[in-house]
Amino acid sequence: MMSRLLKLDSGNHSWQVPAAVLLAGALIYSIHFSGTYFNFDHQIGLGWVGLGVIYLLYKTGIADRQPWRIVFILLSGFLAARYILWRSFDTLAYTGPVDFVAMCILYAAELYAITIHFMGLFINAWPMTSPTVPLSDDPAQLPSVDVLIPTYNEPDEIVLATATAATQIDYPKEKLHIYIIDDGGTENKRNHPEKGMDAWERHYRMKQIAADLGIGYITRETNRQAKAGNINHALHYTSSDLILILDCDHVPTHDFLKNTVGHFLADEKLFLVQTPHFFINPCPVEKNLEGVANPSGENDMFYRTIHPAMNAWNSSYFCGSAAVLRRKYLEEVGGICGTTITEDAETAFQLHSRGYNSVYVNKPMVCGLSPESFDDYVIQRSRWAQGMVQLVLLNNPLKTPGLSLPQRISYFNSSFFWFFGFSRFIYFVAPASFLIFGLNIYDASWLQILAYAAPFVLSTFVVMNFFYKGTRQPFFSEIYESVQAMFLIPAVISVLLHPRKPSFKVTPKGVMNQNNYLSPLSAPFFLVILVNIVALVLAGIKWFDEPILRDVIMVTGVWCVYNLYLALVSLGAFWERKQVRKFHRISASGPVNVHFPRMKQAVAGEVKDISLSGIGFEIAPPFPIKTQERVILEAKDSYGQQYHFESKLQRIVKKGDLYFCGGEFMTNLVAYPNIVSFVFGDSQRWRDNWEMKSRSRRSARMLFYFLRMGIKAVKDCAFMLLKQALAALWKMLVKWCSTPYLRDKLVAVGGWFWYELYLGFIWGMEHIEHRHARKFSRMSANGTAMVDFPLHNAHVIGRLSDVSLTGVGMVMDVPFEVHEQEPVAIDVKDSEGHEYHLDCTVKRAVERDGHLLCGAEFVIDMHSFPEIVRYVYGESLTDIALHAVRPHAH
Amino acid sequence: MLIKLVLVLTLFLASAAQAESAKVPLQKLTALSSIQLRCINGSESISVPVPERWNVRRAILTLRYSVSNNLIGEISQMIVKVNDEPVAQTKLNPQAPNVEAAIDIPVNLLKPGYNVLSFHVSQHYSRQQCEPPCAPDLWTNVSVVDSFIELEYDLKPVPRRLGAATAMIFDPKQFPEVDVHIVTDRLTAEAATLATVVASGIARRFDYRKVRFSVSRELRPGVDNVLIGSRKFALAALAVNSIELPQGDGGLLKIFHLPEKEGGWDPLHALIVIADERAAALKIAAATLANMSMPYPDTDELHALEFSMPDVTMYSGRNVLSSDKVYDFRTLNLPTTTFHGLNSNSVTLSFRLPADFLIKQNHYAKLSVNFSYGAGLKNNSALNVSVNGKALRAIHLDSVSGNFIDGYKIDIPTYVFKPGANTISFSPSLNTLGGLCETLQTDGLFVTLYENSTLYFPPMPHFVEMPKIELFALNGFPFTRWPDGYETIVYLPKPDDVALATALNVVGMVTQRNGFPLFGTQVTFDEPAGWGGEILVVGKANDVPKHYMEAAPLKLSDTPRVPYPTVGSWNAEAAIAYSRQKSGLGTGTGIIMEFESMYKKGRSVLVFTSQNNEGLATLGDAVLDPGVQGGITGDLVVIDLSNPKYPVTSLRVGNKYSTGNKGNISVLDSFLYANVYVFYGALALSILSLGLLGYWGLRRYRAKRAAAAQGK
């Protein structure tokens, strides 16, 4: 059964499948056993030792070699399975309806993430790159190829470059047929009452380009089914065996067909050879890092690691461009499919399910443009997300007959992945839901987190770094996912509600941007940041308020900090950088000879960068050079082809003996194809560029940069809001103060405020005094008192030391022992000579320096109280004192 | 006249000479460690049992208490009440802070049953009105260790009515301890099994009261006797009084006054006869006697035809909480309770968790409390909740106008609970809004805790690392895994009356701890080879088979290998030194050992042994002592039987094993649990093997795919 699903039915492996099932059973049993019988020490040991082994395998490079790679994957899978089983059976508890719903949502998000993780582990078991199959030297044995360049509204120069490069593809000319298939100049568009004129103009321009290059031009009546419809329409007018589809911004190299067509000759059942998309311009996130680092492009991960992994399972699918398809099989499924808006993947899916094969050639042979702004980026990703979700909903890869199990998993993974927006959003708000709303969403102690969750989470980082090293900087996937998450959710929901509704939106390319600014799309991240800050503040309060929940508070607090960090870093990635270049420069290398007609000398130099408009090179001429000087450049590509360009020096920067020069190509009809051939025709250049980015380090620096930018964004926005709030307040104040009545009111309110502040201060001082000092302050006193000790039947004269409303302090000499709580009566006189007889209780009797220090407390009742007050405060203050103190006394 | 006077005096002296007495420290009557009477009006109470069977002649309470030095003697006093009637009042004099007082309790106040003995204080440390009502100075402490109650009583004649008599004879209110003699006609395993059923049932009727069993072929004067055997044997025992036994179907159950040797009857003690020729009928009659918990029948005899116990489930027992089930407080014996005043007492919810619960760390027991409280409470008032004596939560009573709170939820982490007895206590801390020198109105200070409040305990697996004799002391685990002792066998290697009596005492103790009679337990005199359940071995050291001793933690052979704990390590197993020596057990030592059954993995053998019969009998008595039960732990317990306080030394020296998972744990689980590094190794090996197999499969698959792609 298993072998049938895997389609591994060659040879006899009667014992291997049972052995694999047995060993897999042993692993499952191990998870069960450890989960049931292990205590925390063992669980922590198991989790962290597992993580340690994974890390060692990764760090020492052992995991790069087979079979250790598979061992690495199995161990990671063990940690993941262990976590999810623990999470499923030990942490889900019903604690109330709202808690339950929130808990289920978080659990679903985790289930989603772990499913993707498992599928990733499976797919990446052993990536495979198909080597080139050499072509026959006899042109007669080669299949004919149609090159279709679909276009819609892209600038002419983009289409021109691609079409020009297509004519330079190294393939027998009689077997190569190139067509611009234009959806921007369809009859419907040309007949549009308002935009018809533009469509006519475009129609003519495109026809002219085609005519100039000697290639075909095809347009159609309507724009039905967008790109898919355009290609299918072109299929009716063409007839070659193979079809190369190139997006109009995907400029091909000379060797494209040489490296791909051979596979069709080798494998009769092959329907597709897909090649990577190489992008000359950075995506918005990369662009923000210009000058900081040169990280791998966002697409590198997909084309350099994921696609080879899928290729191993015969699951490499059509990516819309830079791919060759066999007409025969394409026509079997009615051409490019148009049910979903990711027509490319859907077409490959249909053909795979019919048992045909695909191959991925991991060599970049087109150079394209990625979206320039976040808006365009989001448009593109939303289309991909919607299309792939449509694929799940309308075709369900898990159930479609004809696919092998790995193909099912690959397609399902590629489609299901696009739900990540939901899980990312849930992770953003989950800890806050506990800290702010008190929802019990994750029933676990911090020890369990340490034993199960932490090793698993950290292992996913190690696994990601291992699988995607060289193509994705650590933590960058988190940033890319976070940046897209908020915008994909509505897009995906709309597909879930109406699976057939989404329509194809063309991704804008070659857009320019005059300023640096924070993309308005970053707004939701301010909310995320605010929510997590509030949650963290509440975590601090709860830490002291609810000590029994400290476990959960600590876990959610750490989670909040991570969310906050991620949100800030993502916010930092949201800056839109200025983009004014019409043609993007790209790093290049190689020798160049620069002829200076003025000096009649040639100087050898080194190419630094190139673009369709010019070239940057470094030379050390023995004479001074100047801008606007005309030079002749002589360079070679990796195939050994020699090029001569006329150029004008536009920029010269001198560093020591070296000059860094920026030369502009002197373009004309004759030179242009040469320039295109030199700039875009050499596939080795794109490969070098890949390698250079792979060597890029400085991940921490990049993350720090994003963090700094994120904080700057928060700060700027906070200042801006504060400024606006203050301005509004000031405006209001000015308006109020303009009338005398309101000014008086303002003075009154101000006075009241200060008065309340003063009262608060007084209350505070009293409060502090009452807490830390006596209720009634003691005053020093002079004079004598006659003290009557009824228990001893004795009278003693004492010297008064202090007096307060609660009692008196006296110093005296007594021949007997005085006990605390002993009743005494004192006769005293005040300064005005009034005599008082006061009953007291001894509260304190201490012998010091041979004398007895005695503290006696007044016995207070209705009759004695006025007397005491009168004695303590004197006649004049008595009324005030009685008024102040009486409520306490009663 | 003089003669009359002499006669009356003689009668009085004679009756006085016959009177018996019981002296019990208050410690034995309460769970409190001391009686703390706090605040201006503190009170506490304890229950004093008076058995129906006693005719109390005199009761003296000897009270030892301490008072705060800061009290004012003139206006501080303590009142002692019995069933709410004041029997004594005394000034609390700080000049004499430690007082011992004897209080004569009028016997007419003492009713059969539980009598409330309460202590109330009114105490002050200031004569002023402005006295804080709960100042720390206001305390009086009654020592429960040094205070005791002494009762002089006569025994009432036992009525010859089965229903009434059994309630009177097996009355748990008798204290401090009770003796019951069991008479069997022969010493066979069947007879011993019947004796076990009877002893277990009787022990359960005595609740927690210590009951000591003895066994012989003859009646024992001065105590209650239960005779089990054939009708012929019963007739022989009653021959001296020429009594005939009635005929009828079913086992005969009949009560007599205890025959005296010389003829005649002792009306103060009973002889209960369980007689039949058939073992099954005897068992039915024995079980019927053991469960006769209401005054029916009103006759002196019955013929037991059939008897059935309710269905039992594993791990159930006295006050045992089933997991994954919601209990209301009423079910847990905590009816609606109102706390009044500034210093009201606490109430406690007591329950037990199965001894072998593997308490998981991340789960929560759910407490849902319904309560109301009065108006005028100061905002520092709270209802404190503590679990097993550890403060857990103070529920803030923060509404000045009072409130009714329905379903206040408290999540209690399960790690604060423990296997066995657990408590959840509620104690209010109430304060009034009034100021210090104001007249305080305390009538509004109340909190009512409602009986419809609930407790839920989440499900837990039954799995425990053994050996642990402390679990045996806790509730007889593992013999009570089935509460009726099913799957348990009592093995007497060399049966005699002493060994059987010791076994009965152990069975009685287990029954009392678990609260369910061990009707499913069997007794055997032959080695239970191949037995798949738990084994309880009782016998002299020389009688226990050698291979049992070899498996035991202390191998009592001619040259035993003796473990001695050394000091200095937290790891108990690693801190044991061993000495091989030629030595003996001696006559004053009792040994209890637990180890894994040699017949079945995960099952236990528990051995009770001593050098001789005297030691064995004393060991049987010692295990009934709560102090001994509290002290035994590990797998080897040595009890000094020569010291009346039975000092206990416990060790953990033997091999570990595990049991649980509803009684069945696989051999593999058990092995891996005991050898965790083997598990790690096996795990690594399985991952490596699977990796290699995966590698092999993938390599073949890729070769095939590459060949297809290259057209080969």
Side-chain angles (χ1 to χ4, degrees), chain A residues 6-13 15-16 19-20 23-24 26-27 29-30 32-38 40 42 45-46 66-68 70-71 74-75 78 86 89-91 94-95 125-128 130-133 263 266-267 311-314 357-359 440 443-445 448 548 552 821 841 857-858 888-890, chain B residues 70 72 125-130 358 360-364 366 392-393 409-413 415 436-439 461 463 658 661 664-666 668-674 676-677 679-680 682-683 685-712:
Chain A
L6 288 167
K7 294 196 173 171
L8 295 171
D9 48 359
S10 71
N12 177 19
H13 38 263
W15 63 269
Q16 289 87 356
L23 288 168
L27 267 186
Y29 167 77
S30 303
H32 154 76
F33 178 83
S34 59
T36 306
Y37 301 119
F38 270 22
F40 275 134
H42 285 139
L46 188 62
Q66 291 289 19
W68 294 107
I70 297 175
V71 171
L74 284 172
L75 199 51
F78 174 77
W86 165 77
F89 295 112
D90 281 18
T91 67
Y94 181 82
T95 51
W126 199 347
M128 182 177 182
S130 299
T132 303
V133 178
H263 288 285
D267 182 4
N311 185 45
W313 298 113
N314 193 16
N357 300 329
S358 66
V359 153
N440 278 332
D443 241 351
S445 68
Q448 286 178 309
I548 198 163
V552 196
Q821 301 298 334
T841 310
E857 188 179 279
F858 296 132
H888 293 292
H890 286 260
Chain B
N70 287 351
I72 300 174
Y125 78 102
S126 168
R127 289 174 187 276
Q128 298 170 27
Q129 195 182 351
C130 310
L358 180 70
K360 293 193 172 182
Q361 303 291 307
N362 64 319
H363 285 198
Y364 293 88
K366 312 283 180 189
L392 183 83
R393 175 73 68 93
K409 301 275 188 303
I410 303 175
D411 288 354
I412 308 171
Y415 58 75
L436 189 59
C437 298
E438 291 178 10
T439 304
F463 182 80
S658 57
N661 199 13
N664 292 315
I665 180 166
S666 74
L668 184 61
D669 283 349
S670 180
F671 174 75
L672 290 178
Y673 185 79
V676 71
Y677 291 104
F679 168 74
Y680 287 137
L683 177 62
L685 195 66
S686 62
I687 287 177
L688 277 175
S689 312
L690 198 57
L692 280 172
L693 204 64
Y695 166 69
W696 179 86
L698 278 179
R699 207 176 59 172
R700 284 180 61 122
Y701 168 78
R702 286 164 63 86
K704 185 187 157 206
R705 171 149 171 72
Q710 298 291 320
K712 291 170 188 168

Side-chain angles (χ1 to χ4, degrees), chain A residues 352-415:
Chain A
H352 271 133
S353 67
R354 287 170 179 251
Y356 298 122
N357 300 329
S358 66
V359 153
Y360 178 71
V361 174
N362 195 11
K363 184 173 187 180
M365 290 179 287
V366 294
C367 171
L369 290 172
S370 65
E372 295 285 356
S373 70
F374 272 107
D375 288 346
D376 302 342
Y377 181 73
V378 166
I379 288 174
Q380 187 189 51
R381 298 310 154 105
S382 298
R383 178 166 69 81
W384 291 357
Q386 289 187 322
M388 295 310 279
V389 172
Q390 278 183 307
L391 190 68
V392 178
L393 298 178
L394 302 177
N395 294 301
N396 191 355
L398 293 177
K399 283 190 173 174
T400 306
L403 294 174
S404 66
L405 181 64
Q407 283 175 327
R408 288 168 201 265
I409 293 173
S410 292
Y411 274 106
F412 185 70
N413 179 54
S414 299
S415 311

Side-chain angles (χ1 to χ4, degrees), chain B residues 11-144:
Chain B
L11 274 173
F12 175 77
L13 287 173
S15 65
Q18 282 182 350
E20 299 190 40
S21 69
K23 179 179 172 182
V24 188
L26 297 190
Q27 189 184 21
K28 301 271 184 190
L29 303 176
T30 176
L32 299 170
S33 55
S34 71
I35 296 175
Q36 280 273 2
L37 302 161
R38 292 191 58 247
C39 300
I40 54 173
N41 60 345
S43 67
E44 279 287 358
S45 61
I46 58 178
S47 289
V48 179
V50 173
E52 177 74 34
R53 196 174 188 181
W54 290 5
N55 187 15
V56 178
R57 290 284 191 84
R58 194 172 177 217
I60 297 169
L61 173 67
T62 304
L63 212 54
R64 189 170 177 84
Y65 61 92
S66 309
V67 301
S68 164
N69 263 335
N70 287 351
L71 297 187
I72 300 174
E74 289 83 358
I75 52 174
S76 301
Q77 64 171 339
M78 177 163 69
I79 304 162
V80 181
K81 294 182 181 177
V82 172
N83 292 333
D84 266 350
E85 289 289 333
V87 293
Q89 52 181 318
T90 175
K91 290 276 182 197
L92 300 173
N93 185 1
Q95 306 294 340
N98 297 312
V99 181
E100 185 171 306
I103 299 166
D104 211 344
I105 299 172
V107 292
N108 60 339
L109 289 179
L110 293 173
K111 305 279 186 280
Y114 288 99
N115 296 271
V116 180
L117 172 65
S118 56
F119 305 92
H120 306 257
V121 288
S122 166
Q123 46 197 3
H124 301 274
Y125 78 102
S126 168
R127 289 174 187 276
Q128 298 170 27
Q129 195 182 351
C130 310
E131 181 184 44
C134 260
D137 309 71
L138 298 174
W139 61 266
T140 298
N141 184 55
V142 179
S143 165
V144 292

Side-chain angles (χ1 to χ4, degrees), chain A residues 367-635:
Chain A
C367 171
L369 290 172
S370 65
E372 295 285 356
S373 70
F374 272 107
D375 288 346
D376 302 342
Y377 181 73
V378 166
I379 288 174
Q380 187 189 51
R381 298 310 154 105
S382 298
R383 178 166 69 81
W384 291 357
Q386 289 187 322
M388 295 310 279
V389 172
Q390 278 183 307
L391 190 68
V392 178
L393 298 178
L394 302 177
N395 294 301
N396 191 355
L398 293 177
K399 283 190 173 174
T400 306
L403 294 174
S404 66
L405 181 64
Q407 283 175 327
R408 288 168 201 265
I409 293 173
S410 292
Y411 274 106
F412 185 70
N413 179 54
S414 299
S415 311
F416 197 47
F417 163 78
W418 289 99
F419 287 91
F420 72 81
F422 293 100
S423 66
R424 183 63 56 187
F425 175 74
I426 291 164
Y427 291 157
F428 266 139
V429 298
S433 70
F434 166 74
L435 292 169
I436 298 177
F437 302 111
L439 298 179
N440 278 332
I441 49 165
Y442 200 109
D443 241 351
S445 68
W446 73 270
L447 265 178
Q448 286 178 309
I449 298 284
L450 197 67
Y452 295 96
F456 163 64
V457 171
L458 293 176
S459 77
T460 59
F461 286 121
V462 178
V463 168
M464 291 275 282
N465 284 345
F466 170 67
F467 283 163
Y468 309 128
K469 66 182 167 187
T471 60
R472 178 61 58 89
Q473 266 63 35
F475 284 103
F476 265 54
S477 291
E478 310 283 310
I479 297 174
Y480 283 125
E481 283 189 11
S482 302
V483 163
Q484 298 171 54
M486 309 289 179
F487 311 105
L488 295 188
I489 292 174
V492 172
I493 288 176
S494 78
V495 184
L496 292 173
L497 296 175
H498 307 288
R500 292 180 189 274
K501 196 179 175 187
S503 59
F504 191 96
K505 284 182 190 155
V506 177
T507 311
K509 303 277 177 69
V511 178
M512 285 184 276
N513 169 21
Q514 299 297 328
N515 296 306
N516 290 342
Y517 63 95
L518 187 68
S519 169
L521 294 177
S522 62
F525 283 87
F526 285 102
L527 194 63
V528 170
I529 289 168
L530 183 69
V531 165
N532 280 285
I533 287 176
V534 170
L536 276 174
V537 171
L538 289 175
I541 295 168
K542 278 178 185 244
W543 182 266
F544 297 103
D545 233 26
E546 300 188 59
I548 198 163
L549 296 176
R550 280 186 180 170
D551 273 17
V552 196
I553 294 167
M554 190 166 74
V555 172
T556 47
V558 170
W559 192 351
C560 266
V561 169
Y562 179 69
N563 277 348
L564 197 58
Y565 163 78
L566 200 57
L568 281 170
V569 169
S570 303
L571 199 56
F574 261 113
W575 287 93
E576 295 276 22
R577 282 286 190 93
K578 193 160 65 175
Q579 158 54 26
V580 291
R581 289 181 194 283
K582 199 169 179 183
F583 299 109
H584 289 277
R585 276 196 217 170
I586 191 156
S587 297
S589 61
V592 62
N593 277 323
V594 186
H595 292 269
F596 288 86
R598 176 173 61 87
M599 303 302 294
K600 294 183 180 158
Q601 275 193 42
V603 181
E606 175 76 19
V607 176
K608 289 293 168 191
D609 60 58
I610 53 168
S611 75
L612 205 54
S613 60
I615 182 168
F617 55 86
E618 208 171 51
I619 51 172
F623 49 85
I625 56 173
K626 54 188 180 183
T627 55
Q628 299 302 320
E629 184 169 0
R630 196 175 68 86
V631 293
I632 308 293
L633 303 172
E634 195 180 296

Side-chain angles (χ1 to χ4, degrees), chain A residues 604-878:
Chain A
E606 175 76 19
V607 176
K608 289 293 168 191
D609 60 58
I610 53 168
S611 75
L612 205 54
S613 60
I615 182 168
F617 55 86
E618 208 171 51
I619 51 172
F623 49 85
I625 56 173
K626 54 188 180 183
T627 55
Q628 299 302 320
E629 184 169 0
R630 196 175 68 86
V631 293
I632 308 293
L633 303 172
E634 195 180 296
K636 275 184 188 172
D637 62 17
S638 68
Y639 313 117
Q641 192 177 332
Q642 193 89 26
Y643 294 92
H644 289 90
F645 307 112
E646 198 177 340
S647 173
K648 193 192 280 180
L649 298 181
Q650 292 290 6
R651 193 163 61 95
I652 298 169
V653 179
K654 188 167 186 262
K655 280 185 184 171
D657 292 339
L658 285 175
Y659 287 84
F660 180 81
C661 306
E664 182 188 354
F665 291 131
M666 309 287 278
T667 312
N668 55 43
L669 277 177
V670 180
Y672 184 75
N674 238 358
I675 295 167
V676 169
S677 175
F678 178 66
V679 175
F680 294 115
D682 188 355
S683 62
Q684 187 57 40
R685 184 164 291 142
W686 309 145
R687 180 163 278 282
D688 292 345
N689 215 279
W690 262 9
E691 297 307 322
M692 189 178 69
K693 289 196 169 196
S694 290
R695 291 192 294 272
S696 176
R697 295 287 181 265
R698 300 177 166 186
S699 299
R701 190 174 164 183
M702 288 185 246
L703 291 173
F704 179 69
Y705 175 78
F706 278 145
L707 184 63
R708 210 155 47 89
M709 296 300 286
I711 292 169
K712 178 179 179 318
V714 172
K715 206 169 64 182
D716 287 357
C717 286
F719 275 134
M720 190 181 74
L721 282 173
L722 190 68
K723 216 166 116 184
Q724 285 177 356
L726 285 174
L729 191 69
W730 177 248
K731 213 168 156 183
M732 202 168 66
L733 278 174
V734 168
K735 193 177 165 188
W736 276 18
C737 292
S738 59
T739 61
Y741 173 74
L742 286 171
R743 188 178 55 215
D744 292 349
K745 283 280 179 201
L746 197 67
V747 170
V749 169
W752 171 81
F753 174 75
W754 283 110
Y755 176 68
E756 286 296 320
L757 197 68
Y758 167 75
L759 288 182
F761 175 74
I762 296 295
W763 178 85
M765 292 303 290
E766 277 183 359
H767 186 68
I768 291 166
E769 275 191 11
H770 281 220
R771 281 183 62 184
H772 298 292
R774 288 165 184 280
K775 192 170 180 180
F776 301 108
S777 57
R778 281 198 290 189
M779 298 171 280
S780 63
N782 295 317
T784 57
M786 178 66 76
V787 187
D788 175 20
F789 290 90
L791 291 181
H792 304 280
N793 198 17
H795 289 81
V796 177
I797 294 176
R799 186 157 45 81
L800 290 168
S801 60
D802 57 73
V803 61
S804 75
L805 208 55
T806 50
V808 293
M810 296 167 289
V811 182
M812 60 186 110
D813 298 310
V814 289
F816 46 84
E817 197 173 341
V818 176
H819 296 286
E820 287 174 9
Q821 301 298 334
E822 190 170 311
V824 291
I826 58 170
D827 292 299
V828 285
K829 283 183 183 173
D830 66 12
S831 56
E832 292 165 4
H834 293 117
E835 291 185 359
Y836 300 90
H837 180 83
L838 302 169
D839 287 330
C840 300
T841 310
V842 175
K843 295 303 285 185
R844 188 163 159 264
V846 184
E847 196 169 314
R848 190 172 296 163
D849 301 333
H851 305 295
L852 181 76
L853 294 174
C854 180
E857 188 179 279
F858 296 132
V859 175
I860 298 173
D861 57 28
M862 292 286 284
H863 304 293
S864 65
F865 186 65
E867 282 289 293
I868 292 166
V869 176
R870 194 165 283 117
Y871 166 62
V872 174
Y873 291 111
E875 198 66 49
S876 54
L877 287 173
T878 299

